[in-house]
Amino acid sequence: NAGVTQTPKFQVLKTGQSMTLQCAQDMNHEYMSWYRQDPGMGLRLIHYSVGAGITDQGEVPNGYNVSRSTTEDFPLRLLSAAPSQTSVYFCASSADRRGVLTFGAGSRLTVL
Amino acid sequence: RKEVEQDPGPFNVPEGATVAFNCTYSNSASQSFFWYRQDCRKEPKLLMSVYSSGNEDGRFTAQLNRASQYISLLIRDSKLSDSATYLCVVNMNRDDKIIFGKGTRLHILP
């Protein structure tokens, strides 16, 4: 039982490059979300989805795009990376919308 | 006022002591509350849900005070392994947003 799988674990980008952080879950969870975690800032919600074809913005959505074409996958796209997007990114999923989340191991992104 | 607020600490507590944290939330319509634990450089993991009547899981007790809009976590007989960051989580009950506090760092001292 893999749970929530995030790839890549580490990535270094140059300013202006684009990339996609992948997130997949095998628990048939409807709810999926992306958070970023910066020192002293806790986890901040970027985007979330309550089901395939439905996405919505969180607290800090600017500079990020998401889509949810299947229940299993919820990729996070950075179209033009900026140094301010250097962070640790966590994907999470849930069987309901209450707040019982299963997290992936995280993706550490550095933008130079 | 931030939606979910916690004292960042750190709380430095001797082994065996009792320690308590609070977390305040801004939206009175919030319905679901949780405590998560995060170890250094790891993902957060659910510690316990917080129910209106209060609930206990071993050495851990969680309580909800709706009137004052805060939740609390009490750890009794603290162990070295309890050293971690404790994150308060609130479902805002609008738009299905699940919001984290910034976390409280706990160091248990031998």
mmCIF file of all heavy atoms in Angstrom, chain B residues 51-85:
data_model
loop_
_atom_site.group_PDB
_atom_site.id
_atom_site.type_symbol
_atom_site.label_atom_id
_atom_site.label_comp_id
_atom_site.label_asym_id
_atom_site.label_seq_id
_atom_site.Cartn_x
_atom_site.Cartn_y
_atom_site.Cartn_z
ATOM 1 N N TYR B 51 -12.566 16.304 19.602
ATOM 2 C CA TYR B 51 -14.016 16.228 19.646
ATOM 3 C C TYR B 51 -14.573 17.232 20.651
ATOM 4 O O TYR B 51 -13.890 17.642 21.597
ATOM 5 C CB TYR B 51 -14.467 14.809 20.000
ATOM 6 C CG TYR B 51 -13.951 13.765 19.041
ATOM 7 C CD1 TYR B 51 -13.142 12.726 19.480
ATOM 8 C CD2 TYR B 51 -14.257 13.834 17.685
ATOM 9 C CE1 TYR B 51 -12.664 11.770 18.602
ATOM 10 C CE2 TYR B 51 -13.776 12.888 16.800
ATOM 11 C CZ TYR B 51 -12.982 11.861 17.261
ATOM 12 O OH TYR B 51 -12.503 10.923 16.388
ATOM 13 N N SER B 52 -15.820 17.585 20.454
ATOM 14 C CA SER B 52 -16.453 18.607 21.298
ATOM 15 C C SER B 52 -16.417 18.244 22.771
ATOM 16 O O SER B 52 -16.263 19.115 23.634
ATOM 17 C CB SER B 52 -17.907 18.816 20.867
ATOM 18 O OG SER B 52 -17.967 19.304 19.555
ATOM 19 N N SER B 53 -16.526 16.960 23.065
ATOM 20 C CA SER B 53 -16.564 16.516 24.462
ATOM 21 C C SER B 53 -15.172 16.300 25.029
ATOM 22 O O SER B 53 -15.019 15.925 26.189
ATOM 23 C CB SER B 53 -17.365 15.220 24.550
ATOM 24 O OG SER B 53 -16.814 14.257 23.686
ATOM 25 N N GLY B 54 -14.155 16.539 24.230
ATOM 26 C CA GLY B 54 -12.792 16.255 24.662
ATOM 27 C C GLY B 54 -12.483 14.783 24.463
ATOM 28 O O GLY B 54 -13.379 13.934 24.500
ATOM 29 N N ASN B 55 -11.252 14.464 24.221
ATOM 30 C CA ASN B 55 -10.882 13.065 24.023
ATOM 31 C C ASN B 55 -9.444 12.825 24.453
ATOM 32 O O ASN B 55 -8.623 13.737 24.485
ATOM 33 C CB ASN B 55 -11.114 12.628 22.568
ATOM 34 C CG ASN B 55 -10.529 13.569 21.549
ATOM 35 O OD1 ASN B 55 -10.904 14.739 21.479
ATOM 36 N ND2 ASN B 55 -9.606 13.065 20.754
ATOM 37 N N GLU B 56 -9.200 11.563 24.775
ATOM 38 C CA GLU B 56 -7.919 11.168 25.343
ATOM 39 C C GLU B 56 -7.381 9.982 24.566
ATOM 40 O O GLU B 56 -8.139 9.104 24.136
ATOM 41 C CB GLU B 56 -8.146 10.784 26.810
ATOM 42 C CG GLU B 56 -6.902 10.692 27.659
ATOM 43 C CD GLU B 56 -7.250 10.465 29.132
ATOM 44 O OE1 GLU B 56 -7.910 11.335 29.722
ATOM 45 O OE2 GLU B 56 -6.865 9.410 29.669
ATOM 46 N N ASP B 57 -6.070 9.966 24.374
ATOM 47 C CA ASP B 57 -5.421 8.828 23.740
ATOM 48 C C ASP B 57 -4.116 8.597 24.473
ATOM 49 O O ASP B 57 -3.119 9.269 24.215
ATOM 50 C CB ASP B 57 -5.176 9.128 22.252
ATOM 51 C CG ASP B 57 -4.557 7.937 21.530
ATOM 52 O OD1 ASP B 57 -4.352 6.883 22.165
ATOM 53 O OD2 ASP B 57 -4.287 8.052 20.321
ATOM 54 N N GLY B 58 -4.160 7.693 25.441
ATOM 55 C CA GLY B 58 -2.969 7.442 26.238
ATOM 56 C C GLY B 58 -2.569 8.668 27.035
ATOM 57 O O GLY B 58 -3.344 9.194 27.825
ATOM 58 N N ARG B 59 -1.376 9.165 26.810
ATOM 59 C CA ARG B 59 -0.862 10.326 27.541
ATOM 60 C C ARG B 59 -1.340 11.661 26.958
ATOM 61 O O ARG B 59 -1.020 12.716 27.496
ATOM 62 C CB ARG B 59 0.668 10.281 27.526
ATOM 63 C CG ARG B 59 1.263 9.060 28.228
ATOM 64 C CD ARG B 59 2.790 9.100 28.214
ATOM 65 N NE ARG B 59 3.340 8.951 26.870
ATOM 66 C CZ ARG B 59 3.928 9.931 26.196
ATOM 67 N NH1 ARG B 59 4.048 11.137 26.737
ATOM 68 N NH2 ARG B 59 4.421 9.715 24.985
ATOM 69 N N PHE B 60 -2.060 11.600 25.888
ATOM 70 C CA PHE B 60 -2.469 12.807 25.162
ATOM 71 C C PHE B 60 -3.963 13.082 25.372
ATOM 72 O O PHE B 60 -4.784 12.178 25.248
ATOM 73 C CB PHE B 60 -2.192 12.649 23.663
ATOM 74 C CG PHE B 60 -0.732 12.470 23.334
ATOM 75 C CD1 PHE B 60 -0.141 11.221 23.426
ATOM 76 C CD2 PHE B 60 0.028 13.546 22.947
ATOM 77 C CE1 PHE B 60 1.210 11.058 23.135
ATOM 78 C CE2 PHE B 60 1.379 13.392 22.645
ATOM 79 C CZ PHE B 60 1.968 12.143 22.742
ATOM 80 N N THR B 61 -4.267 14.343 25.681
ATOM 81 C CA THR B 61 -5.656 14.768 25.835
ATOM 82 C C THR B 61 -5.881 16.008 24.983
ATOM 83 O O THR B 61 -5.105 16.966 25.051
ATOM 84 C CB THR B 61 -5.975 15.097 27.301
ATOM 85 O OG1 THR B 61 -5.757 13.939 28.106
ATOM 86 C CG2 THR B 61 -7.420 15.555 27.453
ATOM 87 N N ALA B 62 -6.943 15.980 24.202
ATOM 88 C CA ALA B 62 -7.293 17.128 23.360
ATOM 89 C C ALA B 62 -8.642 17.668 23.804
ATOM 90 O O ALA B 62 -9.532 16.904 24.160
ATOM 91 C CB ALA B 62 -7.351 16.710 21.898
ATOM 92 N N GLN B 63 -8.767 18.993 23.800
ATOM 93 C CA GLN B 63 -10.028 19.605 24.196
ATOM 94 C C GLN B 63 -10.368 20.750 23.258
ATOM 95 O O GLN B 63 -9.484 21.361 22.650
ATOM 96 C CB GLN B 63 -9.948 20.105 25.637
ATOM 97 C CG GLN B 63 -9.841 18.975 26.657
ATOM 98 C CD GLN B 63 -10.060 19.448 28.068
ATOM 99 O OE1 GLN B 63 -9.470 20.438 28.466
ATOM 100 N NE2 GLN B 63 -10.905 18.749 28.810
ATOM 101 N N LEU B 64 -11.669 21.015 23.163
ATOM 102 C CA LEU B 64 -12.187 22.086 22.315
ATOM 103 C C LEU B 64 -12.989 23.047 23.182
ATOM 104 O O LEU B 64 -13.841 22.609 23.955
ATOM 105 C CB LEU B 64 -13.078 21.500 21.219
ATOM 106 C CG LEU B 64 -13.949 22.461 20.415
ATOM 107 C CD1 LEU B 64 -13.089 23.440 19.623
ATOM 108 C CD2 LEU B 64 -14.881 21.693 19.494
ATOM 109 N N ASN B 65 -12.725 24.320 23.044
ATOM 110 C CA ASN B 65 -13.509 25.349 23.716
ATOM 111 C C ASN B 65 -14.114 26.248 22.642
ATOM 112 O O ASN B 65 -13.454 27.144 22.117
ATOM 113 C CB ASN B 65 -12.626 26.158 24.669
ATOM 114 C CG ASN B 65 -13.424 27.172 25.480
ATOM 115 O OD1 ASN B 65 -14.303 27.857 24.963
ATOM 116 N ND2 ASN B 65 -13.129 27.263 26.761
ATOM 117 N N ARG B 66 -15.361 25.958 22.314
ATOM 118 C CA ARG B 66 -16.003 26.710 21.220
ATOM 119 C C ARG B 66 -16.268 28.161 21.610
ATOM 120 O O ARG B 66 -16.174 29.052 20.786
ATOM 121 C CB ARG B 66 -17.315 26.040 20.815
ATOM 122 C CG ARG B 66 -17.132 24.765 20.017
ATOM 123 C CD ARG B 66 -18.431 24.382 19.321
ATOM 124 N NE ARG B 66 -18.301 23.142 18.587
ATOM 125 C CZ ARG B 66 -17.814 23.074 17.352
ATOM 126 N NH1 ARG B 66 -17.406 24.166 16.721
ATOM 127 N NH2 ARG B 66 -17.726 21.900 16.739
ATOM 128 N N ALA B 67 -16.591 28.389 22.839
ATOM 129 C CA ALA B 67 -16.934 29.754 23.269
ATOM 130 C C ALA B 67 -15.748 30.686 23.076
ATOM 131 O O ALA B 67 -15.902 31.828 22.633
ATOM 132 C CB ALA B 67 -17.383 29.742 24.721
ATOM 133 N N SER B 68 -14.554 30.202 23.401
ATOM 134 C CA SER B 68 -13.356 31.024 23.276
ATOM 135 C C SER B 68 -12.572 30.727 22.002
ATOM 136 O O SER B 68 -11.524 31.318 21.769
ATOM 137 C CB SER B 68 -12.447 30.814 24.490
ATOM 138 O OG SER B 68 -13.119 31.175 25.677
ATOM 139 N N GLN B 69 -13.075 29.787 21.216
ATOM 140 C CA GLN B 69 -12.493 29.437 19.925
ATOM 141 C C GLN B 69 -11.033 29.027 20.042
ATOM 142 O O GLN B 69 -10.136 29.606 19.396
ATOM 143 C CB GLN B 69 -12.684 30.575 18.907
ATOM 144 C CG GLN B 69 -14.150 30.763 18.542
ATOM 145 C CD GLN B 69 -14.390 31.849 17.498
ATOM 146 O OE1 GLN B 69 -15.422 32.494 17.491
ATOM 147 N NE2 GLN B 69 -13.446 32.057 16.607
ATOM 148 N N TYR B 70 -10.805 28.015 20.868
ATOM 149 C CA TYR B 70 -9.467 27.442 20.890
ATOM 150 C C TYR B 70 -9.550 25.951 21.146
ATOM 151 O O TYR B 70 -10.524 25.428 21.681
ATOM 152 C CB TYR B 70 -8.572 28.132 21.932
ATOM 153 C CG TYR B 70 -8.848 27.806 23.376
ATOM 154 C CD1 TYR B 70 -8.272 26.687 23.985
ATOM 155 C CD2 TYR B 70 -9.660 28.637 24.147
ATOM 156 C CE1 TYR B 70 -8.519 26.399 25.314
ATOM 157 C CE2 TYR B 70 -9.907 28.361 25.476
ATOM 158 C CZ TYR B 70 -9.344 27.242 26.052
ATOM 159 O OH TYR B 70 -9.587 26.968 27.370
ATOM 160 N N ILE B 71 -8.489 25.261 20.725
ATOM 161 C CA ILE B 71 -8.320 23.854 21.067
ATOM 162 C C ILE B 71 -7.014 23.717 21.827
ATOM 163 O O ILE B 71 -6.137 24.584 21.735
ATOM 164 C CB ILE B 71 -8.327 22.936 19.817
ATOM 165 C CG1 ILE B 71 -7.123 23.212 18.912
ATOM 166 C CG2 ILE B 71 -9.622 23.085 19.049
ATOM 167 C CD1 ILE B 71 -6.995 22.205 17.773
ATOM 168 N N SER B 72 -6.904 22.660 22.584
ATOM 169 C CA SER B 72 -5.712 22.461 23.402
ATOM 170 C C SER B 72 -5.233 21.018 23.281
ATOM 171 O O SER B 72 -5.996 20.108 22.939
ATOM 172 C CB SER B 72 -5.996 22.810 24.862
ATOM 173 O OG SER B 72 -6.969 21.935 25.393
ATOM 174 N N LEU B 73 -3.954 20.844 23.556
ATOM 175 C CA LEU B 73 -3.337 19.520 23.593
ATOM 176 C C LEU B 73 -2.525 19.434 24.873
ATOM 177 O O LEU B 73 -1.679 20.289 25.126
ATOM 178 C CB LEU B 73 -2.431 19.300 22.379
ATOM 179 C CG LEU B 73 -1.682 17.976 22.340
ATOM 180 C CD1 LEU B 73 -2.664 16.822 22.138
ATOM 181 C CD2 LEU B 73 -0.640 17.969 21.225
ATOM 182 N N LEU B 74 -2.784 18.408 25.653
ATOM 183 C CA LEU B 74 -2.071 18.172 26.908
ATOM 184 C C LEU B 74 -1.294 16.874 26.773
ATOM 185 O O LEU B 74 -1.851 15.852 26.352
ATOM 186 C CB LEU B 74 -3.072 18.064 28.068
ATOM 187 C CG LEU B 74 -2.476 17.826 29.460
ATOM 188 C CD1 LEU B 74 -1.971 19.137 30.027
ATOM 189 C CD2 LEU B 74 -3.523 17.214 30.392
ATOM 190 N N ILE B 75 -0.025 16.924 27.108
ATOM 191 C CA ILE B 75 0.821 15.726 27.083
ATOM 192 C C ILE B 75 1.294 15.468 28.509
ATOM 193 O O ILE B 75 1.969 16.313 29.117
ATOM 194 C CB ILE B 75 2.038 15.896 26.152
ATOM 195 C CG1 ILE B 75 1.596 16.303 24.754
ATOM 196 C CG2 ILE B 75 2.854 14.608 26.096
ATOM 197 C CD1 ILE B 75 2.761 16.622 23.807
ATOM 198 N N ARG B 76 0.935 14.326 29.032
ATOM 199 C CA ARG B 76 1.358 13.943 30.395
ATOM 200 C C ARG B 76 2.564 13.030 30.324
ATOM 201 O O ARG B 76 2.785 12.319 29.326
ATOM 202 C CB ARG B 76 0.219 13.218 31.116
ATOM 203 C CG ARG B 76 -0.963 14.088 31.483
ATOM 204 C CD ARG B 76 -2.019 13.252 32.226
ATOM 205 N NE ARG B 76 -2.510 12.164 31.395
ATOM 206 C CZ ARG B 76 -3.454 12.306 30.469
ATOM 207 N NH1 ARG B 76 -4.002 13.480 30.266
ATOM 208 N NH2 ARG B 76 -3.843 11.271 29.768
ATOM 209 N N ASP B 77 3.359 13.028 31.417
ATOM 210 C CA ASP B 77 4.505 12.117 31.521
ATOM 211 C C ASP B 77 5.315 12.135 30.218
ATOM 212 O O ASP B 77 5.532 11.107 29.564
ATOM 213 C CB ASP B 77 4.016 10.697 31.818
ATOM 214 C CG ASP B 77 5.147 9.730 32.126
ATOM 215 O OD1 ASP B 77 6.227 10.202 32.549
ATOM 216 O OD2 ASP B 77 4.959 8.523 31.904
ATOM 217 N N SER B 78 5.763 13.296 29.836
ATOM 218 C CA SER B 78 6.403 13.470 28.529
ATOM 219 C C SER B 78 7.658 12.607 28.380
ATOM 220 O O SER B 78 8.408 12.375 29.347
ATOM 221 C CB SER B 78 6.742 14.949 28.303
ATOM 222 O OG SER B 78 7.502 15.458 29.377
ATOM 223 N N LYS B 79 7.848 12.125 27.168
ATOM 224 C CA LYS B 79 8.977 11.258 26.807
ATOM 225 C C LYS B 79 9.903 12.012 25.863
ATOM 226 O O LYS B 79 9.480 12.937 25.163
ATOM 227 C CB LYS B 79 8.479 9.995 26.107
ATOM 228 C CG LYS B 79 7.332 9.274 26.786
ATOM 229 C CD LYS B 79 7.750 8.632 28.071
ATOM 230 C CE LYS B 79 6.584 7.814 28.663
ATOM 231 N NZ LYS B 79 6.910 7.396 30.061
ATOM 232 N N LEU B 80 11.146 11.566 25.799
ATOM 233 C CA LEU B 80 12.087 12.176 24.858
ATOM 234 C C LEU B 80 11.549 12.097 23.433
ATOM 235 O O LEU B 80 11.745 13.011 22.620
ATOM 236 C CB LEU B 80 13.447 11.490 24.943
ATOM 237 C CG LEU B 80 14.210 11.652 26.255
ATOM 238 C CD1 LEU B 80 15.481 10.817 26.231
ATOM 239 C CD2 LEU B 80 14.531 13.116 26.526
ATOM 240 N N SER B 81 10.849 11.010 23.132
ATOM 241 C CA SER B 81 10.318 10.797 21.778
ATOM 242 C C SER B 81 9.157 11.726 21.439
ATOM 243 O O SER B 81 8.714 11.757 20.291
ATOM 244 C CB SER B 81 9.865 9.343 21.613
ATOM 245 O OG SER B 81 8.895 9.027 22.595
ATOM 246 N N ASP B 82 8.673 12.477 22.430
ATOM 247 C CA ASP B 82 7.608 13.451 22.148
ATOM 248 C C ASP B 82 8.171 14.730 21.528
ATOM 249 O O ASP B 82 7.402 15.594 21.087
ATOM 250 C CB ASP B 82 6.859 13.822 23.437
ATOM 251 C CG ASP B 82 6.067 12.663 24.021
ATOM 252 O OD1 ASP B 82 5.676 11.770 23.239
ATOM 253 O OD2 ASP B 82 5.865 12.652 25.247
ATOM 254 N N SER B 83 9.471 14.876 21.497
ATOM 255 C CA SER B 83 10.089 16.058 20.887
ATOM 256 C C SER B 83 9.713 16.112 19.410
ATOM 257 O O SER B 83 9.992 15.170 18.653
ATOM 258 C CB SER B 83 11.614 16.006 21.027
ATOM 259 O OG SER B 83 11.996 16.073 22.384
ATOM 260 N N ALA B 84 9.067 17.191 19.011
ATOM 261 C CA ALA B 84 8.552 17.331 17.643
ATOM 262 C C ALA B 84 7.887 18.701 17.541
ATOM 263 O O ALA B 84 7.857 19.467 18.510
ATOM 264 C CB ALA B 84 7.524 16.235 17.329
ATOM 265 N N THR B 85 7.360 18.981 16.366
ATOM 266 C CA THR B 85 6.504 20.155 16.186
ATOM 267 C C THR B 85 5.065 19.686 16.128
ATOM 268 O O THR B 85 4.749 18.718 15.418
ATOM 269 C CB THR B 85 6.870 20.917 14.901
ATOM 270 O OG1 THR B 85 8.202 21.416 15.022
ATOM 271 C CG2 THR B 85 5.923 22.086 14.669
#
